[in-house]
Amino acid sequence: MKVTVTVMLKPGVLDPQGKAIGQALHTLGFANVGEVRAGKVIELDIAENDPARARAQAEEMARQLLANTVIERFDITLS
Amino acid sequence: MTVGLLVFPGINRERDMAIALERSFGRAPRMVWHRETDLAGIDLVVIPGGFSYGDYLRCGAMAAHAPVMQAVRAHAARGGYVLGVCNGFQILTETGLLPGALLRNAHLRFLSRDCHLRVERADTVFTSRYRQGEVFRAPMAHGDGNYFADAATLDRLEGEGLVAFRYAPPTGNLNGSARDIAGIYAPNLRVLGLMPHPEDLVDPLMGGEDGKPLFDSLATALAA
């Protein structure tokens, strides 16, 4: 089962990378761009056919390693 | 009195740290490879700076799960001493031995320059050779040193006297750290993590000895 974990900085945590990307986009002429946030996408191929179990496992992986929940939140999507 | 100096793949400051430790302790530290699991006989664990595992995922995230870190957790739980500098500090926060996290520097630049640190308290095994409020110079070299924790955690650190060092004038807070925090203690004051490198100034030939009191403090405390 393909599982995608998206890790983003929590709202309120300064994201200087997102800010820099936003400034670069403005420089390129994309004047209507507001806030930009940058994160990570991690794709996992899990040998598991049960969606609920795959999700539960991915959540555990995110909590233990993929995300640092002091500063980051994560979303999981199955496909 | 034995010092164990941890070495992970990608760590590159262990030699400098070994020199600083040997100068104060009069004895070379034992180098401990990341796959080792036995820290028996080691009184002080030191985690040096560098780029463990290429900073993959997050700085210190992979090292926090290396085999040796289980042993470091047990060592800390027994009341053992731990010092983490730069990447070592990041590893300690990722391991959960110290609260908070180190974010990308506020202005995104990798900062390789001197900064100034104020000693918040001089009554710990790490700082007894400094004076409280003393400001000393320490080189910094990091891209992710912006200390972050939620307001409740910051209040607790300050309330319980667990802030070890703060960035101070003339250079001030260069990386955006919350409340100018450069280093923190665990509640038992036996685990210290800080971003700048006191080990880089322990000999007049290095341009100063501002960092030497930290290692002298440890050597004195642990010899007693």
Side-chain angles (χ1 to χ4, degrees):
Chain A
M1 187 142 226
K2 263 243 156 61
V3 180
T4 305
V5 182
T6 306
V7 181
M8 299 293 296
L9 286 171
K10 283 180 179 171
V13 176
L14 179 70
D15 179 7
Q17 215 172 181
K19 267 202 174 137
I21 294 168
Q23 279 166 14
L25 290 172
H26 288 162
T27 309
L28 287 171
F30 297 100
N32 58 354
V33 175
E35 203 194 355
V36 179
R37 309 278 290 172
K40 294 187 194 91
V41 174
I42 299 158
E43 290 181 349
L44 308 164
D45 203 350
I46 303 180
E48 173 62 67
N49 292 322
D50 181 66
R53 277 208 295 266
R55 178 179 289 278
Q57 271 188 22
E59 274 180 20
E60 207 40 51
M61 293 177 203
R63 246 178 243 118
Q64 286 187 33
L65 177 66
L66 305 180
N68 177 345
T69 54
V70 174
I71 48 172
E72 294 168 327
R73 60 175 177 77
F74 59 87
D75 286 316
I76 291 170
T77 50
L78 308 177
S79 57
Chain B
M1 163 65 239
T2 305
V3 181
L5 182 50
L6 304 196
V7 184
F8 298 90
I11 284 285
N12 62 2
R13 306 306 314 282
E14 75 280 9
R15 300 284 153 194
D16 314 72
M17 185 61 87
I19 290 167
L21 289 165
E22 185 166 0
R23 271 183 79 79
S24 290
F25 285 82
R27 211 173 122 191
R30 187 181 125 196
M31 303 305 247
V32 180
W33 186 231
H34 67 123
R35 289 194 190 284
E36 291 188 41
T37 53
D38 185 8
L39 295 175
I42 287 177
D43 306 283
L44 165 67
V45 170
V46 180
I47 314 179
F51 302 85
S52 56
Y53 303 90
D55 278 349
Y56 288 176
L57 195 61
R58 295 177 304 277
C59 301
M62 312 306 279
H65 297 279
V68 75
M69 289 310 293
Q70 279 292 2
V72 174
R73 274 198 197 91
H75 168 83
R78 282 194 301 270
Y81 296 98
V82 182
L83 168 66
V85 172
C86 199
N87 195 205
F89 184 16
Q90 295 163 338
I91 292 168
L92 289 175
T93 61
E94 282 283 342
T95 310
L97 285 172
L98 291 173
L102 284 311
L103 295 172
R104 188 61 49 90
N105 291 343
H107 303 292
L108 279 178
R109 287 202 184 87
F110 188 98
L111 295 166
S112 180
R113 51 169 297 172
D114 283 356
C115 66
H116 293 83
L117 301 180
R118 186 171 66 239
V119 180
E120 292 295 301
R121 54 189 294 180
D123 60 348
T124 77
V125 293
F126 298 93
T127 55
S128 62
R129 293 292 188 94
Y130 289 107
R131 292 183 316 276
Q132 187 180 346
E134 181 177 348
V135 173
F136 68 97
R137 188 162 58 95
M140 56 158 61
H142 60 247
D144 299 70
N146 178 354
Y147 185 72
F148 173 90
D150 58 41
T153 304
L154 294 170
D155 289 344
R156 181 178 64 77
L157 286 171
E158 290 184 329
E160 295 176 7
L162 301 179
V163 177
F165 304 107
R166 285 188 217 259
Y167 296 108
T171 46
N173 183 352
L174 300 165
N175 58 20
S177 288
R179 303 191 193 175
D180 302 332
I181 290 173
I184 54 171
Y185 295 111
N188 68 1
L189 300 175
R190 290 177 174 217
V191 180
L192 167 66
L194 76 160
M195 285 310 298
H197 292 273
E199 77 276 16
D200 283 4
L201 282 181
V202 295
D203 189 309
L205 285 174
M206 293 173 166
E209 293 185 295
D210 285 49
K212 194 162 184 297
L214 188 143
F215 299 97
D216 287 344
S217 302
L218 278 169
T220 308
L222 274 67

